[in-house]
Amino acid sequence: ITETITLNGPGQELVTVDGQQVSRIFDAAAPDVDVTILGMTLAGGQTTADNLAGRGGAIRSQYAGTVLIDQSTISGNSTMGDRADGGAIYAGGDVVVMNSTISGNSTNNLDSEGGAIAAEGSVSITDSTFSGNSTDGGGSDGGAVYAAGELVVLGSLFSGNSTGTPTTSRGGAIFSDDDATVAGSTFVGNSTGGSNSDGGAIFGDLNTTLTIVDSTFSGNFTSRFGAQGGAVHTRGSLAVENSTLSGNNSVSHGGAIAPEGTTEIATSTI
């Protein structure tokens, strides 16, 4: 893809573009290209190369542009190389997901961030489901989403996403490296599997101000030594309001929350 494009299908149940585990599906290889996927399913995309060549099992957008997914399903895509970020989508710019299902995508080697999505820019997710996405290599943060820029999650479900072993793969559902807002959303059964792999559902790094409002976190966990924050671990500041965190677990510090920075909790149940 060398210019801005909208791929408009008749419905995610009617049209599937399948890479059959032999290639990436779409590659936006020119600067400032926007790609919109509407009303279709992308499945079975796979890459085997390391580094940039292997990023984005279904979609790779190499430069600053926006990848927009709306009323679509992105499932069963993967990367197999080292430092091959974005099991389904890698974006050098921004990613927007609306009214969509992102499931069963994965990265499968070292330092490969974002089992479903890895974005160098912002990530916006609205009314969508992320389930069963994973990273499975040391140093591979963000079982579902790795966001280097600002993150917004509204009215969405994150279920059963995970980072694997052996070590330091943080954020079972989300790794955020910038300000993040989660509102009206549910995180259930997300986990990290490695030692020192903090944040069973969400990990916020030093630059993150994480705000959680009107949301539920249940059954999230970290499972190995030194992995803090069964639901949430933040190195920056944290605010929780009108939310419930229940049944989360950590073998280290903070069964629900392990904050390192300023923390404010109001009208919430933990």
Side-chain angles (χ1 to χ4, degrees):
I1 297 172
T2 57
E3 59 185 27
T4 293
I5 189 171
T6 296
L7 300 171
N8 193 347
Q12 55 197 306
E13 303 87 359
L14 300 176
V15 171
T16 297
V17 184
D18 193 338
Q20 302 201 359
Q21 312 298 328
V22 296
S23 70
R24 177 186 295 117
I25 298 172
F26 296 120
D27 190 15
D32 302 318
V33 168
D34 297 333
V35 177
T36 297
I37 304 295
L38 176 63
M40 66 179 66
T41 293
L42 303 184
Q46 185 178 95
T47 65
T48 58
D50 297 335
N51 303 310
L52 180 60
R55 294 176 185 170
I59 300 172
R60 179 178 64 171
S61 177
Q62 298 185 43
Y63 303 97
T66 299
V67 176
L68 170 62
I69 309 297
D70 189 10
Q71 300 174 60
S72 295
T73 295
I74 313 293
S75 67
N77 304 282
S78 60
T79 67
M80 307 303 290
D82 293 343
R83 298 168 298 281
D85 304 335
I89 300 169
Y90 171 79
D94 304 327
V95 175
V96 177
V97 179
M98 303 185 299
N99 311 304
S100 294
T101 298
I102 315 295
S103 64
N105 305 285
S106 64
T107 67
N108 295 279
N109 224 320
L110 297 174
D111 300 321
S112 297
E113 323 281 12
I117 295 172
E120 306 296 345
S122 65
V123 176
S124 175
I125 297 166
T126 305
D127 296 333
S128 295
T129 296
F130 284 70
S131 64
N133 303 287
S134 63
T135 64
D136 190 19
S140 298
D141 300 320
V145 175
Y146 177 96
E150 185 175 356
L151 171 72
V152 177
V153 178
L154 304 176
S156 295
L157 169 65
F158 284 75
S159 174
N161 305 286
S162 63
T163 65
T165 58
T167 183
T168 319
S169 295
R170 302 160 296 180
I174 292 173
F175 179 102
S176 176
D177 198 28
D178 204 333
D179 291 344
T181 299
V182 174
S185 296
T186 298
F187 289 74
V188 58
N190 304 285
S191 63
T192 65
S195 59
N196 302 311
S197 296
D198 303 324
I202 298 178
F203 179 92
D205 214 348
L206 286 169
N207 298 319
T208 302
T209 295
L210 174 59
T211 302
I212 298 171
V213 182
D214 298 326
S215 295
T216 298
F217 290 72
S218 63
N220 305 286
F221 62 94
T222 64
S223 56
R224 295 190 68 180
F225 174 80
Q228 305 177 54
V232 177
H233 179 97
T234 57
R235 300 180 72 189
S237 62
L238 171 66
V240 179
E241 183 178 353
N242 295 329
S243 296
T244 298
L245 292 86
S246 65
N248 305 286
N249 184 63
S250 170
V251 297
S252 186
H253 304 299
I257 299 172
E260 295 184 29
T262 302
T263 302
E264 298 181 3
I265 301 173
T267 56
S268 296
T269 300
I270 299 179

